[in-house]
Amino acid sequence: MANIKLENVVKRYGDVIAVRDFNLEIQDKEFVVFLGPSGCGKTTTLRLIAGLEHPEEGDILIDGERVNDLSPADRDIAFVFQFYALYPHLNVYDNIAFPLKAVKVSKSEIDTQVKRVAEILQISNMLDRKPSMLSGGEMQRVALGRAMVRQPKVYLLDEPMANLDANIRVDTRAEIKRLQHEIGATTIFVTHDQVEAMSLADRIAVIHQGLLQQIGTPYEVYNRPESLFVAGFMGMPTMNLLDASLTARDGKSVLQLSHTDVYLPLSPKRQAAITTAAQENGLVFGIRPEHITAVNQSDPEKIAAEVHLVEPLGAVNILDIRLGTHLETQEPILLRVRTHPSFRVGVGDTIWLDFNEAEMHFFDQKTERVLS
Ligand code: ATP
C-alpha cells in the first residue's frame, strides 16, 4: 500500500525544536510504533506525515513522491485520534459512513463499505446506536471503522487507547494488531506506553527530545539498546545503569563499578571494545535485573552484597541490593535483581550475585552511545 520516508526532517515552534534531523523509512504494510516520553515529538512527527504540520527542513515521501506541499486530503492518509472524536448526534452507521459521504460516494457503495468494516470490527449489531450507548472499547472500534472505511494507504493512530480502561486496552490492543495484519496497511501508532509498543510493533522508533534514538524490532530495542536513553527507558523495572571504570587488580585489568568493591572480569574482546571510551570519556555499565542470578549460599566466586529492599510483584520478586555508598553524596549504590518468589530473603540478608557477561551493556558516558 505505502512506503513512507522522512529525510532530515526538522520542525521548530519558535525556540523549541520539536523534531530534529529525523530520518526514517517505513516499509509497505509495516506497523511502526513511535515511543517516547511526553513532549519528545511523537505527535508532531505524526502530524508532519499527515500534512497537518509543515517541516522547516527536510522531505517527506510517500511511495517515493515528495508530499511536503500536498494537503492532508491529498496524501490518502487516515488519522485516528482518541475515540472521542465521534459525532454524538449520528449513529454508528452514519459515523462510519461520514468520510465516504463527504467525498460523494454512491449510497450503495457506502452501504457495502460500512457493512464490511462493521463485520471486521464485530460491531454489525450496533449500527443503529448513538455513541452515548456504546462502551469505550466499542466507541474506539467505531472510530477505527471510520478510518478503515476509506481504505487509505496509511493509518496514523495517535494514542488511540489513551482513555480506555486497562482491561479494554488489552482487548483493543489485540484487536488493532489483528486488524492491521488483516488489512495490511502501513500503520504508525503513537504511544508513551512501552508495553503497548512492544506488543504491537513490527518495529519501534524510540524518540527522545525530538531525536530518533533507535529504530528496531521490539527484541532489538529491548535486548540491544543503542543508547543510554533507550537502555534506561525500556523495561520494567529498567536496566541497572552504573558508572564504571577499568582498573588493575591482581595484575589483571577488570571492571570496577564506581563507589563499590565490585570487580568484574571481562573477556579480552569486551575489554578491547570499551578501553578507549573508558580512558577518554568514562563508562556506564548496564545489566537488566533478570540477567543477574542470586543465591543465598556463600560463594567466593560470586559477589557478596546486602539486600536493601524486597518488592514482591507476584510472579517475580525485585530485590534492591546495596553495592556501596556514593563517596560525595552518601547515597546508596543500588542494583535491582529479579528473583523467583521462592527465593526467600529479607532486608539486611547477604546474598551472592553472578552477572551474565553476555548480557552486559556498556555505554560511553559522554556520547551516551553503546560500545559494541
Ligand atoms: P505527548 O506524549 O505529551 O503528546 P509528544 O511526544 O507527542 O508528547 P509533541 O506534542 O510532538 O510531543 O511536542 C513536541 C514538543 O513541541 C514539545 O516540547 C511541545 O511543547 C512542542 N509543541 C508541540 N506543538 C506545539 C505548538 N503548536 N506550539 C508550540 N510548541 C509546540
Side-chain angles (χ1 to χ4, degrees):
M1 274 177 138
N3 163 294
I4 301 169
K5 204 167 174 186
L6 284 91
E7 290 180 344
N8 308 107
V9 170
V10 176
K11 176 69 195 170
R12 296 186 197 88
Y13 296 107
D15 291 342
V16 177
I17 306 177
V19 177
R20 291 166 196 263
D21 202 19
F22 209 97
N23 285 285
L24 176 65
E25 184 161 6
I26 298 173
Q27 302 301 331
D28 183 29
K29 297 187 174 56
E30 208 179 359
F31 196 136
V32 168
V33 174
F34 286 176
L35 174 69
S38 184
C40 73
K42 307 180 290 292
T43 297
T44 305
T45 310
L46 206 66
R47 290 172 63 83
L48 286 163
I49 296 169
L52 299 168
E53 299 285 352
H54 295 281
E56 268 84 40
E57 293 171 34
D59 287 322
I60 299 168
L61 297 103
I62 298 180
D63 282 340
E65 184 196 357
R66 186 176 178 276
V67 296
N68 289 34
D69 306 319
L70 290 189
S71 71
D74 293 331
R75 294 190 188 191
D76 201 8
I77 274 174
F79 206 155
V80 182
F81 295 98
Q82 295 169 16
F83 60 82
Y84 293 114
L86 296 181
Y87 298 108
H89 59 286
L90 298 181
N91 64 18
V92 169
Y93 185 103
D94 289 330
N95 261 289
I96 297 175
F98 195 85
L100 297 180
K101 282 188 181 159
V103 290
K104 310 243 180 318
V105 174
S106 74
K107 247 185 168 166
S108 66
E109 178 62 17
I110 290 177
D111 198 56
T112 308
Q113 291 304 331
V114 171
K115 287 181 176 156
R116 180 185 67 85
V117 302
E119 195 147 315
I120 297 173
L121 291 163
Q122 296 164 15
I123 49 173
S124 304
N125 58 339
M126 304 169 195
L127 293 174
D128 296 334
R129 293 198 215 160
K130 294 271 171 62
S132 60
M133 296 160 72
L134 301 174
S135 73
E138 289 160 353
M139 281 199 261
Q140 175 59 31
R141 279 187 266 163
V142 177
L144 282 170
R146 201 169 53 185
M148 282 164 56
V149 80
R150 286 176 43 202
Q151 298 183 289
K153 286 201 277 193
V154 179
Y155 287 102
L156 303 179
L157 310 176
D158 191 358
E159 304 237 19
M161 302 194 277
N163 294 312
L164 300 187
D165 289 346
N167 56 343
I168 299 177
R169 264 178 103 115
V170 173
D171 288 350
T172 313
R173 193 165 79 199
E175 187 91 330
I176 288 179
K177 191 165 182 167
R178 184 181 65 77
L179 278 172
Q180 200 267 347
H181 279 284
E182 210 161 282
I183 301 164
T186 310
T187 303
I188 307 176
F189 184 106
V190 162
T191 183
H192 58 264
D193 179 336
Q194 52 169 294
V195 176
E196 211 159 271
M198 293 287 284
S199 79
L200 284 171
D202 292 326
R203 287 191 301 160
I204 299 175
V206 185
I207 305 172
H208 178 50
Q209 294 178 342
L211 272 178
L212 177 62
Q213 295 276 321
Q214 184 169 351
I215 169 88
T217 62
Y219 180 90
E220 286 165 346
V221 292
Y222 187 84
N223 293 289
R224 289 187 229 125
E226 289 170 3
S227 73
L228 207 46
F229 175 81
V230 177
F233 189 71
M234 302 301 297
M236 277 184 297
T238 54
M239 184 184 287
N240 293 293
L241 294 168
L242 301 165
D243 290 352
S245 58
L246 289 173
T247 186
R249 195 167 155 83
D250 302 332
K252 285 188 192 150
S253 171
V254 292
L255 185 82
Q256 180 178 14
L257 304 187
S258 304
H259 309 286
T260 76
D261 290 328
V262 176
Y263 299 92
L264 302 170
L266 296 178
S267 67
K269 197 173 160 203
R270 185 71 90 166
Q271 296 236 5
I274 66 174
T275 300
T276 308
Q279 288 164 351
E280 292 176 3
N281 297 338
L283 288 177
V284 178
F285 164 78
I287 192 159
R288 292 206 179 274
E290 63 266 35
H291 295 142
I292 304 166
T293 41
V295 295
N296 46 17
Q297 284 127 23
S298 169
D299 184 340
E301 298 289 307
K302 296 188 164 75
I303 290 148
E306 187 193 302
V307 177
H308 185 73
L309 191 75
V310 180
E311 286 179 83
L313 298 182
V316 297
N317 284 356
I318 302 297
L319 311 181
D320 278 13
I321 307 297
R322 187 173 187 139
L323 296 182
T325 306
H326 195 286
L327 292 178
E328 289 97 53
T329 63
Q330 295 301 303
E331 294 283 322
I333 305 288
L334 298 175
L335 183 81
R336 285 211 165 111
V337 178
R338 195 178 81 179
T339 61
H340 194 269
S342 62
F343 181 69
R344 298 289 173 124
V345 282
V347 172
D349 289 354
T350 298
I351 59 171
W352 285 264
L353 305 172
D354 197 14
F355 295 67
N356 179 353
E357 189 183 347
E359 302 292 349
M360 291 179 186
H361 303 261
F362 291 91
F363 302 90
D364 182 307
Q365 219 172 68
K366 195 166 156 198
T367 66
E368 303 194 351
R369 302 302 297 178
V370 75
L371 301 163
S372 52

Short mmCIF file of all heavy atoms in Angstrom, two decimals, residues 13 16-18 36-45 53 158-159 190 192, ligand 1:
data_model
loop_
_atom_site.label_atom_id
_atom_site.label_comp_id
_atom_site.label_asym_id
_atom_site.label_seq_id
_atom_site.Cartn_x
_atom_site.Cartn_y
_atom_site.Cartn_z
N TYR A 13 9.03 25.09 16.77
CA TYR A 13 7.98 26.02 17.21
C TYR A 13 8.72 27.11 17.96
O TYR A 13 9.09 26.91 19.12
CB TYR A 13 6.99 25.35 18.15
CG TYR A 13 6.18 24.22 17.53
CD1 TYR A 13 6.44 22.90 17.87
CD2 TYR A 13 5.15 24.49 16.64
CE1 TYR A 13 5.70 21.88 17.33
CE2 TYR A 13 4.41 23.47 16.08
CZ TYR A 13 4.69 22.16 16.43
OH TYR A 13 3.96 21.14 15.89
N VAL A 16 11.61 26.16 20.33
CA VAL A 16 11.53 24.71 20.61
C VAL A 16 11.77 23.92 19.33
O VAL A 16 11.10 24.15 18.33
CB VAL A 16 10.14 24.34 21.19
CG1 VAL A 16 10.02 22.84 21.41
CG2 VAL A 16 9.87 25.11 22.46
N ILE A 17 12.75 23.03 19.38
CA ILE A 17 12.95 22.13 18.23
C ILE A 17 12.20 20.85 18.56
O ILE A 17 12.62 20.05 19.39
CB ILE A 17 14.45 21.84 17.96
CG1 ILE A 17 15.22 23.15 17.83
CG2 ILE A 17 14.60 21.00 16.70
CD1 ILE A 17 16.71 22.98 17.63
N ALA A 18 11.02 20.69 17.97
CA ALA A 18 10.16 19.54 18.30
C ALA A 18 10.66 18.27 17.62
O ALA A 18 10.55 17.18 18.16
CB ALA A 18 8.72 19.84 17.89
N GLY A 36 8.03 7.19 23.24
CA GLY A 36 8.92 8.12 23.94
C GLY A 36 8.14 8.86 24.99
O GLY A 36 6.90 8.82 25.01
N PRO A 37 8.84 9.57 25.88
CA PRO A 37 8.16 10.28 26.96
C PRO A 37 7.38 11.48 26.43
O PRO A 37 7.58 11.91 25.29
CB PRO A 37 9.30 10.72 27.87
CG PRO A 37 10.50 10.74 27.00
CD PRO A 37 10.29 9.72 25.93
N SER A 38 6.54 12.03 27.27
CA SER A 38 5.72 13.18 26.91
C SER A 38 6.61 14.33 26.41
O SER A 38 7.64 14.63 27.00
CB SER A 38 4.94 13.62 28.16
OG SER A 38 4.10 14.66 27.81
N GLY A 39 6.21 14.93 25.29
CA GLY A 39 6.93 16.09 24.77
C GLY A 39 8.13 15.74 23.90
O GLY A 39 8.87 16.63 23.48
N CYS A 40 8.33 14.46 23.58
CA CYS A 40 9.54 14.08 22.82
C CYS A 40 9.39 14.33 21.33
O CYS A 40 10.37 14.24 20.58
CB CYS A 40 9.90 12.62 23.09
SG CYS A 40 8.78 11.45 22.30
N GLY A 41 8.16 14.60 20.86
CA GLY A 41 7.99 14.91 19.43
C GLY A 41 7.24 13.85 18.63
O GLY A 41 7.18 13.93 17.40
N LYS A 42 6.61 12.92 19.31
CA LYS A 42 5.90 11.83 18.61
C LYS A 42 4.74 12.37 17.78
O LYS A 42 4.63 12.10 16.58
CB LYS A 42 5.31 10.82 19.63
CG LYS A 42 6.29 10.26 20.62
CD LYS A 42 5.62 9.29 21.57
CE LYS A 42 4.64 9.90 22.57
NZ LYS A 42 5.26 10.76 23.59
N THR A 43 3.87 13.16 18.44
CA THR A 43 2.68 13.66 17.75
C THR A 43 3.07 14.61 16.62
O THR A 43 2.49 14.56 15.54
CB THR A 43 1.75 14.38 18.76
OG1 THR A 43 1.33 13.41 19.70
CG2 THR A 43 0.55 15.00 18.08
N THR A 44 4.06 15.45 16.87
CA THR A 44 4.48 16.38 15.83
C THR A 44 4.96 15.62 14.60
O THR A 44 4.61 15.97 13.46
CB THR A 44 5.61 17.31 16.36
OG1 THR A 44 5.13 17.95 17.54
CG2 THR A 44 5.99 18.35 15.34
N THR A 45 5.73 14.55 14.80
CA THR A 45 6.22 13.76 13.66
C THR A 45 5.05 13.15 12.90
O THR A 45 5.01 13.16 11.66
CB THR A 45 7.19 12.66 14.16
OG1 THR A 45 8.15 13.25 15.02
CG2 THR A 45 7.90 11.97 13.00
N GLU A 53 1.11 19.57 9.82
CA GLU A 53 2.21 20.48 10.13
C GLU A 53 3.16 20.44 8.94
O GLU A 53 3.16 19.46 8.19
CB GLU A 53 2.99 20.02 11.38
CG GLU A 53 2.19 19.94 12.65
CD GLU A 53 1.91 21.30 13.26
OE1 GLU A 53 2.47 22.31 12.76
OE2 GLU A 53 1.12 21.35 14.22
N ASP A 158 -2.89 8.16 16.90
CA ASP A 158 -2.22 8.92 17.97
C ASP A 158 -2.83 8.56 19.32
O ASP A 158 -3.91 9.04 19.65
CB ASP A 158 -2.36 10.42 17.69
CG ASP A 158 -1.45 11.23 18.61
OD1 ASP A 158 -0.77 10.62 19.47
OD2 ASP A 158 -1.43 12.46 18.49
N GLU A 159 -2.14 7.75 20.08
CA GLU A 159 -2.60 7.29 21.40
C GLU A 159 -4.08 6.94 21.36
O GLU A 159 -4.86 7.46 22.17
CB GLU A 159 -2.35 8.37 22.47
CG GLU A 159 -0.89 8.79 22.52
CD GLU A 159 -0.23 8.62 23.87
OE1 GLU A 159 -0.76 7.86 24.71
OE2 GLU A 159 0.82 9.23 24.07
N VAL A 190 1.23 5.99 17.80
CA VAL A 190 1.98 6.76 18.80
C VAL A 190 1.56 6.34 20.21
O VAL A 190 0.37 6.22 20.49
CB VAL A 190 1.69 8.27 18.63
CG1 VAL A 190 2.07 9.05 19.88
CG2 VAL A 190 2.44 8.83 17.44
N HIS A 192 3.13 6.39 24.65
CA HIS A 192 4.26 6.51 25.58
C HIS A 192 4.32 5.27 26.47
O HIS A 192 5.07 5.22 27.42
CB HIS A 192 4.17 7.79 26.41
CG HIS A 192 2.91 7.90 27.20
ND1 HIS A 192 1.82 8.58 26.75
CD2 HIS A 192 2.57 7.37 28.39
CE1 HIS A 192 0.86 8.48 27.64
NE2 HIS A 192 1.28 7.75 28.63
P1 ATP B 1 2.77 13.80 24.37
O1 ATP B 1 3.08 12.36 24.60
O2 ATP B 1 2.72 14.59 25.64
O3 ATP B 1 1.62 14.03 23.45
P2 ATP B 1 4.67 14.21 22.19
O4 ATP B 1 5.86 13.31 22.25
O5 ATP B 1 3.60 13.81 21.24
O6 ATP B 1 4.08 14.43 23.65
P3 ATP B 1 4.72 16.72 20.79
O7 ATP B 1 3.29 17.03 21.02
O8 ATP B 1 5.11 16.29 19.43
O9 ATP B 1 5.23 15.65 21.86
O10 ATP B 1 5.57 18.00 21.21
C1 ATP B 1 6.97 18.11 20.99
C2 ATP B 1 7.45 19.46 21.50
O11 ATP B 1 6.92 20.50 20.71
C3 ATP B 1 7.03 19.76 22.94
O12 ATP B 1 8.08 20.44 23.57
C4 ATP B 1 5.82 20.65 22.76
O13 ATP B 1 5.68 21.53 23.86
C5 ATP B 1 6.17 21.40 21.49
N1 ATP B 1 4.97 21.79 20.72
C6 ATP B 1 4.08 20.92 20.13
N2 ATP B 1 3.11 21.60 19.48
C7 ATP B 1 3.38 22.90 19.64
C8 ATP B 1 2.76 24.11 19.17
N3 ATP B 1 1.67 24.10 18.41
N4 ATP B 1 3.33 25.29 19.55
C9 ATP B 1 4.44 25.31 20.31
N5 ATP B 1 5.09 24.23 20.76
C10 ATP B 1 4.57 23.04 20.43
#
